[in-house]
Amino acid sequence: MTTTKTPPVAAVPQGRRIQLGRFRDLTLVPVIIVLLIAGSFVDPIFLTPGNLTNVLQQQSALALVVLAEALILIAGKFDLSLESTVGMAPAVAVMFVIPVAAGGFGLELPGILAIPLCLLIGGLVGAFNGFLIMRFQLSAFIVTLAMMIVVHGLQLGLTQGKSLFELPESFLYLGSASWLGLPAAIWITGALFAVAIVALGYFRAGRSLYAIGGNADAARAAGIRVERVLWAVFVIGGVVAALAGVLETGRLGGISANQGVGWIFMAFAAAVIGGVSMDGGKGTILGALTGVLVIGLVENILTLKGVPGEWKQLVYGSIILVALMISRLAGGKAQD
C-alpha cells in the first residue's frame, strides 16, 4: 500500500508568497528612497517641490511610452516603433494644419484637428503593426524594428530633416498648461496610469493580457479572442505613444527631427526594472511606473551634478544595472 505524504505546512508558505507578491510592485521603492537621499546631498535644490515637479513633467512623455510598452510586453509582444511614433505622429499631424511656409502640406486644416489627427496616426501605426504580426504571423520584434526605421524615415522625409516650430496653440496646450498648480502633463499621465492599473487588475479585458502573455494557446482555449486583443493592444500603444509626442511637443514648443529617438531603450529599462517580464504574462503597471521614477531621478541627479552628456549613457546603464540588482534582492525572485 502506497502512502501519500502530504506536507502540512504547504499552504502557509503559499499564502505568504501571495502576500509578498503584492509588494513585488514596490521593490524599487528602496532604490527611489536611496536616490532621493543621494540627490539631497548632491544639490539642496533636488528635494524642492519645484524641482520634483519639473522631474515629473519631464518624465511624463517617457512614462506614457513606458505605459504603452508595458501593456504590450505583458501581452507577450514587443513594439520598438513606439519611439518613432512619438516624433512622426505629431510632426505629420501639425503639417496638415500649418502653412507651407512653416513646413506644412499647405492644407491648413483647423488647428483643433491637430491632436485628433496625431492620435489617429499613432493608432494607424499600431494597427499596421498588429496587422503584420497577426495576419502574417511575423515576429513582433522584427516587424516593429523595421517599423521603427520606416516611421522615423517617414518623418525625416516629410520634414526634410527640419524641426517644426510654428505650431498651433491648441497643439501646445496639453504639454504646457497647468491644472491646479501642476503641469497638465502630470495629471494626464497619472490618470492614464490609474486607468491602466484598474483595467489590468479588475477588468476581464485587462486580465486577458496576462492570460495571453502567459500562454496564448491556453488563453485561446479559454475563449479569449487572442488576435483581437493583441491588435487592440498595439493600437492603444500607438495612440498612447502619439499622446506622449503631443505632451513632449507642448513642453518643448517644437518638434525636432529626432524627437523620441532612443526612448525605446529607456522605456524597456524602466519597464523591466519595474518587474515587467519580457517573456510576457508578468509584471504590473505600478511597477513600470516606479521604473520611470528611477530613470527620472537618476537623470535629474546627473544634470544637477553637472555630468557631461558624453558620460550620461554610461552612468544611466550602470545605475539601471544596480537598480535591477537591488530590485532582484528586494523582490526575492529571479527576473525574466
Side-chain angles (χ1 to χ4, degrees):
M1 179 178 179
T2 303
T3 59
T4 302
K5 297 181 180 180
T6 304
V9 296
V12 176
Q14 179 65 22
R16 287 175 182 168
R17 282 199 296 271
I18 292 173
Q19 291 175 357
L20 290 175
R22 295 178 179 177
F23 297 99
R24 196 167 298 140
D25 302 342
L26 306 177
T27 53
L28 280 182
V29 170
V31 180
I32 294 173
I33 294 173
V34 169
L35 289 173
L36 290 173
I37 295 173
S40 66
F41 286 103
V42 169
D43 196 312
I45 296 176
F46 180 75
L47 284 181
T48 59
N51 183 62
L52 294 178
T53 300
N54 188 44
V55 171
L56 293 177
Q57 184 182 19
Q58 289 181 350
Q59 296 303 314
S60 293
L62 176 62
L64 289 184
V65 178
V66 173
L67 172 61
E69 194 66 65
L71 292 173
I72 296 169
L73 282 174
I74 290 173
K77 298 295 181 183
F78 293 88
D79 191 347
L80 303 178
S81 66
L82 293 175
E83 69 164 34
S84 297
T85 303
V86 170
M88 187 278 287
V92 174
V94 298
M95 290 176 74
F96 278 106
V97 302
I98 60 178
V100 175
F105 295 127
L107 299 175
E108 298 189 38
L109 298 178
I112 196 171
L113 295 179
I115 290 181
L117 282 172
C118 178
L119 301 182
L120 175 62
I121 292 169
L124 289 175
V125 173
F128 190 61
N129 282 334
F131 171 76
L132 293 177
I133 295 167
M134 298 299 113
R135 180 66 177 82
F136 297 101
Q137 297 295 303
L138 299 176
S139 163
F141 182 84
I142 300 301
V143 167
T144 57
L145 175 62
M147 283 297 291
M148 178 179 71
I149 300 170
V150 167
V151 171
H152 184 58
L154 178 63
Q155 179 188 356
L156 292 177
L158 292 175
T159 63
Q160 298 180 347
K162 298 177 181 177
S163 299
L164 302 173
F165 294 107
E166 296 183 31
L167 309 180
E169 287 299 321
S170 60
F171 198 81
L172 298 173
Y173 175 75
L174 292 179
S176 57
S178 291
W179 297 341
L180 302 175
L182 286 176
I186 297 177
W187 290 108
I188 294 170
T189 303
L192 289 180
F193 266 86
V195 169
I197 290 171
V198 172
L200 265 64
Y202 301 99
F203 286 87
R204 182 179 179 184
R207 300 297 301 174
S208 67
L209 296 187
Y210 288 102
I212 294 171
N215 189 324
D217 292 333
R220 192 175 288 107
I224 297 174
R225 297 180 177 179
V226 173
E227 286 72 20
R228 180 175 297 184
V229 173
L230 287 176
W231 206 335
V233 171
F234 276 107
V235 172
I236 292 171
V239 171
V240 173
L243 180 59
V246 173
L247 298 186
E248 187 69 359
T249 300
R251 186 177 72 85
L252 300 177
I255 306 172
S256 73
N258 290 321
Q259 179 166 293
V261 173
W263 284 24
I264 198 64
F265 302 108
M266 303 300 282
F268 269 103
V272 172
I273 66 176
V276 177
S277 171
M278 296 185 70
D279 291 334
K282 299 176 184 175
T284 65
I285 300 302
L286 179 59
L289 180 60
T290 61
V292 176
L293 293 176
V294 168
I295 298 288
L297 292 174
V298 169
E299 183 175 358
N300 189 243
I301 291 173
L302 294 180
T303 301
L304 292 176
K305 189 63 178 175
V307 175
E310 295 81 6
W311 290 99
K312 283 188 176 179
Q313 295 298 322
L314 172 65
V315 179
Y316 282 154
S318 301
I319 293 178
I320 289 170
L321 287 175
V322 173
L324 196 60
M325 288 185 286
I326 294 176
S327 173
R328 163 71 178 89
L329 295 173
K333 183 179 180 182
Q335 297 177 339
D336 299 315

